[in-house]
Amino acid sequence: MLRLISMSIVCLMITLSCAQSSGSKEQADPPEPVAIKPGMYAAVVSMENVPDDVKAYNVTSKISFGFEPDNTFIYKVSAMGHEIEDVGRWEIRGDSLYINSLQKGPDSAFKLVKVNDDRYEIFGPNHFILTKQEEIAPIKE
């Protein structure tokens, strides 16, 4: 009889423990999806983990990322007398930025962090800091 009561108490404790842990998972708020405003962004490579022998290349590079409303992605880099432009597609899923279908470069995925309305950081194959560029309207004569 004592064994039966002990077993019942153990089973009840296990059941309550499982119910509490599954309840707390349901109450946790899912992370809010991050959105990026379409437009052109100046991109700077974060120098945190860049090897010394390529820091000068990254510091002198002029990089821009274009996020068009139709999900066209435009990548431009100008460094040490060379210019590269690549076009592909972009999309955001949750807190990740996916760049794919580039004409020259590989598909990439980045964790996207919104710093403020005009500034983002993306972490992936490289760590970029993106700052929205103001659009320049042509002068009308």
Side-chain angles (χ1 to χ4, degrees), residues 9-23:
I9 291 173
V10 168
C11 288
L12 181 61
M13 289 174 47
I14 291 172
T15 303
L16 289 175
S17 173
C18 290
Q20 280 182 336
S21 67
S22 67

Side-chain angles (χ1 to χ4, degrees), residues 45-60:
V45 177
S46 171
M47 294 296 146
E48 290 175 0
N49 298 317
V50 174
D52 289 338
D53 59 338
V54 293
K55 278 188 180 180
Y57 179 80
N58 287 310
V59 169
T60 60

Side-chain angles (χ1 to χ4, degrees), residues 57-139:
Y57 179 80
N58 287 310
V59 169
T60 60
S61 298
K62 183 178 179 187
I63 306 167
S64 66
F65 288 4
F67 298 96
E68 299 293 322
D70 67 353
N71 289 81
T72 298
F73 175 75
I74 302 165
Y75 170 75
K76 294 180 183 179
V77 64
S78 176
M80 299 183 147
H82 292 44
E83 291 186 17
I84 298 171
E85 185 172 320
D86 205 354
V87 178
R89 308 289 299 157
W90 69 276
E91 80 173 284
I92 295 177
R93 287 184 248 149
D95 67 350
S96 297
L97 167 66
Y98 293 89
I99 298 170
N100 54 56
S101 303
L102 291 168
Q103 297 169 352
K104 301 172 187 166
D107 292 354
S108 300
F110 297 88
K111 178 178 171 40
L112 177 63
V113 176
K114 183 177 181 178
V115 176
N116 61 41
D117 283 343
D118 294 331
R119 192 174 179 114
Y120 301 87
E121 288 191 55
I122 57 175
F123 300 86
N126 287 310
H127 174 186
F128 291 100
I129 301 162
L130 307 178
T131 305
K132 192 158 192 317
Q133 296 176 332
E134 290 187 34
E135 294 184 30
I136 300 172
I139 299 174

